[in-house]
Amino acid sequence: GQQLNQSPQSMFIQEGEDVSMNCTSSSIFNTWLWYKQEPGEGPVLLIALYKAGELTSNGRLTAQFGITRKDSFLNISASIPSDVGIYFCAGQLNRANFGNEKLTFGTGTRLTIIP
Amino acid sequence: DAGVIQSPRHEVTEMGQEVTLRCKPISGHDYLFWYRQTMMRGLELLIYFNNNVPIDDSGMPEDRFSAKMPNASFSTLKIQPSEPRDSAVYFCASSTTQRESYEQYFGPGTRLTVT
């Protein structure tokens, strides 16, 4: 199935550094979601975006819905050890027909924090 | 509030055996999704239901896989007969679009190992 392109695939950073990752698609989306997954757990929803150009924050996390509707960005400021995990973007395609509730997931960005 | 509940958390079985995974969605949610996650293929949508009715099963790998939702609070994913290539983590997620929200909430997953 279709997947969104996420970059980078992995990041190794030091505690306190800021983190940026992005997600791109060849298709237009009208919803973007960002999830975090820790080992042995299911993905946990972090931020939801519903309008092109929207900028939304959740604590140290900030996400933006790209103006072209084909991309989204997630930033984490002042990283801490508990930020370790895999971050996934997910998009909902801009289709008017019933059955458009499916999400397409990105390939994930694995974040590792170096002590 | 209770989140999505899945059981069992871990399942180890021999090739050829029947496996049944169970899910209880968040109360009041009218959509239920089954996903499979592997290193090679990432998160794949297998099937989803709306108001207990299957809407899209195009992601179900083959006839060995079947899913049911007999009521709003319970769903099963069955694999019969199981094969080693079915080894993966299976997630259930639920959502509601009452407010045009497409936010899906995931359970903790079932890690299936077929030997």
Side-chain angles (χ1 to χ4, degrees):
Chain A
Q2 177 186 1
Q3 281 193 328
L4 301 173
N5 295 316
Q6 243 181 288
S7 64
Q9 285 188 326
S10 60
M11 303 183 72
F12 295 84
I13 63 167
Q14 291 192 324
E15 184 177 350
E17 288 185 15
D18 295 344
V19 173
S20 292
M21 61 189 77
N22 67 74
C23 203
T24 60
S25 169
S26 57
S27 303
I28 290 174
F29 285 78
N30 65 6
T31 301
W32 284 94
L33 306 174
W34 285 92
Y35 287 85
K36 177 189 177 188
Q37 186 176 21
E38 298 185 17
E41 301 296 331
V44 174
L45 181 64
L46 299 174
I47 291 180
L49 302 158
Y50 291 99
K51 288 177 59 176
E54 180 181 358
L55 188 71
T56 298
S57 293
N58 178 7
R60 293 178 297 104
L61 277 61
T62 301
Q64 184 162 23
F65 191 142
I67 198 70
T68 65
R69 295 179 174 266
K70 293 184 178 181
D71 56 11
S72 181
F73 305 86
L74 177 69
N75 295 316
I76 305 173
S77 62
S79 59
I80 60 177
S82 61
D83 291 334
V84 166
I86 303 176
Y87 291 80
F88 291 98
C89 61
Q92 181 252 338
L93 288 171
N94 186 26
R95 292 184 298 171
N97 297 332
F98 178 71
N100 63 350
E101 304 85 357
K102 292 192 290 188
L103 295 179
T104 300
F105 280 84
T107 49
T109 294
R110 183 181 296 272
L111 178 63
T112 302
I113 296 183
I114 306 167
Chain B
D1 290 340
V4 175
I5 299 172
Q6 290 186 248
S7 64
R9 290 295 310 273
H10 302 274
E11 178 79 42
V12 180
T13 190
E14 292 184 347
M15 182 174 63
Q17 297 298 307
E18 177 180 296
V19 175
T20 299
L21 312 180
R22 297 172 177 79
C23 174
K24 176 179 169 56
I26 293 172
S27 177
H29 281 191
D30 52 348
Y31 283 87
L32 184 140
F33 304 80
W34 281 101
Y35 290 88
R36 177 171 67 177
Q37 186 178 41
T38 61
M39 289 292 291
M40 291 297 294
R41 300 173 68 88
L43 266 169
E44 301 175 276
L45 177 65
L46 301 177
I47 184 171
Y48 77 97
F49 296 82
N50 173 229
N51 291 324
N52 313 336
V53 176
I55 301 301
D56 186 342
D57 65 354
S58 60
M60 294 287 262
E62 48 199 272
D63 292 345
R64 296 185 298 107
F65 285 68
S66 62
K68 294 181 180 180
M69 192 165 185
N71 57 63
S73 59
F74 184 67
S75 177
T76 60
L77 178 67
K78 185 177 294 186
I79 308 172
Q80 166 63 20
S82 58
E83 297 182 2
R85 60 191 168 126
D86 301 331
S87 297
V89 182
Y90 291 81
F91 289 105
C92 175
S94 70
S95 72
T96 175
T97 56
Q98 291 179 359
R99 292 178 289 110
E100 296 190 2
S101 164
Y102 297 91
E103 300 165 16
Q104 293 182 19
Y105 295 87
F106 284 75
T110 296
R111 180 173 294 277
L112 173 65
T113 303
V114 183
T115 60

